[in-house]
Amino acid sequence: MDLHRFWAMARKEWIQIRRDPRSMILAFALPPFLLLFFGYAITWDVEDIRLAVVDHDRTAASRKLVEAFASSGYFTVTEHVATVAEAEEDLVRTRVRGVLTIPVGYDRELRSGKGVPVQLLLDGADANTANIAQTYASAIMARHALGEVLGGRKPAQLLRLEPRTWYNPNLESRHMIVPGLIAVIMSIIAAMLTSLTIAREWERGTMEQLAATPVGRLEVILGKLLPYVGIGLFDVTMIVVAGIVFFGTPFNGSVLYLSVLTLLFLVGALGLGVFISAAVKSQRLATQVAMVATYLPALLLSGFLFDIASMPTFLQGITFLVPARYYVAVTRGIMLKGVGPSVLWLQAVFMIAYATLGLGLAVTFFKKELRA
Amino acid sequence: MTGRRASLLRVRRMVAKELRQIFRDRMSAQMVFGAPILMLLLLGYAVNTDVRHVATFLVDHDRTAGSRALVDAFTASGYFRVAGTSDRPADLGRALDKGTATVGLEIPAGFEADVKAGRSPAVQLIVDGTNSNTGTLASGYAAKILQDLSVRLAVTSGVAMPRGVELRSRAWFNPSLESRIYNVPAVIGVIVLLMSLMLTSLAVVREREVGTLEQLLVSPLSATELMLGKTIPVAFIAMAQITLITTVALLWFDVPFRGSAMLLTVGAVLFILSGLSFGLFISTLANTQQEAFLSMFLFLLPAIILSGFMYPVDTMPRFFQELTLLNPLRHFLEVIRGVFLKGLGLRELWPQLTFLTVMAAGGVLGATRRFKATL
């Protein structure tokens, strides 16, 4: 390992990146664009659920119930229809997500204290939305029903629940998405930037020129990685700042700790990218492998949107191979929870192992000597 | 030989050449048929929004039969499981920080006595909001459980409580509200889009980079024949892939199939055509394979995000909702989910199929013109 040669290699790579407008766009323009795009497009807050109402009672009391749904903010009453059949047709065509049916005699039964059933029919195809709608509906009903019966007095219940939400008090999906996006975006950028770097040398024939120089494998790999690590750190800083400025994402933890773990993540991800391109050698396959191996796992197996805890055990095992999994835990832990090494040490250990592995594989598989 | 037959023969030769190129090495063949199945299995399990057995940290200051009954009500619901217990609330905080528990439940001392005296004791529920979806559902379930228990306790302890409105909810198409049934068909659409883009986007630019494009140009193949030769094999491979993964999905995941296979096939052909022509379009625009790959990626990212695959289109801001109309994946997902889950037919799905037809036709026309212009 010669520092001078390593430095020369890094400079060469940096000059190549700087001269290639596509690499520059990829490195500097794409990450903030992706953050803004995803940050605004991905909203998981279920609000304004479209509801059709079939009010068979048509009394002041039944209108009050409908009003309770409409004013909750969770439901929008888009249609008042006369028959259940019409409403069901709307449900089949997904024009509405649910149908609220109020029976004849609602007002009378309610006043007699015998209890009235009100039916909510949901489009269960989208189970998650249906589940949330059900949750909201029963909360509205509970509040409304008690208020009605007790004649406007404060609703009382035998047991009270005092719910509190930590880390994200208003349960805004944005605060869950922005820190996770850092990990997803950086996985993509790292894989795209590096998976082509060595394959490019092969296909353009410049590998022979590299082979003719006295540079060793370790120097080539580390020299190639250095500019990308620098770019990656810059990107993460940019995304974090943009997240705080545009989306109001909290930052409760330590900047230093985030930087150290980001460095580890980048070395691993970039090393893995170099490994893929060195092992595969054809650009076509390199791109395909990089895509299958990074983008979808980072999006789906990292815990970014889908809880790892609700996956089957074997899949939970597989998520340990997805580096974004650790990094999502790190960015969320530091930004939202404000936790430090005492909680995140396990992630740190895994990320060190992963960085070592990525670098090791890249160096081992990179064969500088030309094949016959 | 007539001109038309000669032309057909040329296209057939070209198709044979393309197929040989795709399946030349074992790795590519594995990629073409192995990767979709692998992805289906992985994604089919991963894309899951069901909130069940939420890890709950319990701090029970009361330790009576009454407090145990409350905990039982939580665990018996299937939504919660006790992941740890302690006497100190600080431990609860640590468990949430670490992520070993998602929910904390704290039962106050004197809980049972308060219930008996009708003093309405307050149970504390602390929810980890980092995953807002899980947080929303978990607190909703908890509220429901407590409410039901409240009513039950009122009945058994003889406290007279007037009965009011009862909500009876029922879900159509998916009564047990399992998210997998909704997501597995969508995974099929995502995989097919990914594969057809991958197979076509490098098709032309690769020949250009390797230098074989000139050889093809001096051959008697016309531009249209060349394009047919490039698309037909990929279209067949994509159809084979979708058949294969749909079969695997039906056999492996317990997904209902309520509609017509014919309608799904029509939708799939249109969807694949629009995907292919887009890939081909990229391929003619790009100068290098790297550029083609990046363009494809930049199309695929928003196509997946703005399709309704992971979260419903209705919850997006209006601008993005309108943008989704340009996305073939969005329309195909509505078709495949409608056919699988709701058994919808042409009567309901004609708007989606019209969109797909327009996109497929526009795509093929645009790609052909681009193709002729490049050559």
Side-chain angles (χ1 to χ4, degrees), chain A residues 284 288, chain B residues 15-33 199-200 203 206 229-235 237 241:
Chain A
R284 181 181 166 122
Q288 292 182 355
Chain B
V15 169
K17 171 219 156 232
E18 285 292 308
L19 283 176
R20 203 173 305 153
Q21 234 172 357
I22 292 169
F23 291 106
R24 191 162 42 190
D25 51 305
R26 260 184 66 193
M27 196 154 167
S28 301
Q30 281 168 355
M31 192 84 195
V32 166
F33 290 111
L199 286 170
T200 45
R206 185 157 171 272
K230 284 273 176 204
T231 35
I232 291 172
V234 183
I237 290 176
Q241 283 174 336

Side-chain angles (χ1 to χ4, degrees), chain A residues 43-44 94 116 118 120 122-125 131 134-135 157-160 162 164 166-168 176 196 307 337, chain B residues 96-97 120-121 123 125 127 129-130 133-134 140-141 150 166 168-170 172 182 290 311 314-315 342:
Chain A
T43 44
W44 224 351
T94 330
V116 210
V118 165
L120 181 69
L122 291 164
D123 177 354
N131 251 323
Q134 204 170 27
T135 302
Q157 232 183 322
L158 195 51
L159 301 177
R160 280 181 299 135
E162 274 183 9
R164 271 193 298 156
W166 278 9
Y167 315 124
N168 179 8
M176 133 185 178
L196 296 166
D307 263 342
K337 297 187 174 180
Chain B
L96 254 69
D97 273 348
S120 302
V123 177
L125 182 80
V127 178
T130 38
N133 196 55
T134 309
Y141 293 147
S150 230
E166 286 158 32
R168 296 202 182 143
S169 53
R170 205 150 53 92
W172 265 11
Y182 185 60
Q290 187 189 5
Y311 55 95
D314 318 15
T315 62
K342 299 189 174 180

Side-chain angles (χ1 to χ4, degrees), chain A residues 27-28 30-36 177-187 189 232-247 249 327 335:
Chain A
F28 296 108
L30 197 59
F33 170 76
L34 288 178
L35 175 79
L36 292 182
I177 284 159
V178 172
L181 264 183
I182 299 173
V184 174
I185 293 174
M186 289 324 292
S187 301
I189 299 286
L233 280 175
F234 180 79
D235 284 345
V236 172
T237 316
M238 200 161 46
I239 301 177
V240 169
V241 171
I244 294 170
V245 172
F246 289 102
F247 298 107
T249 314
Y327 197 49
M335 292 179 75

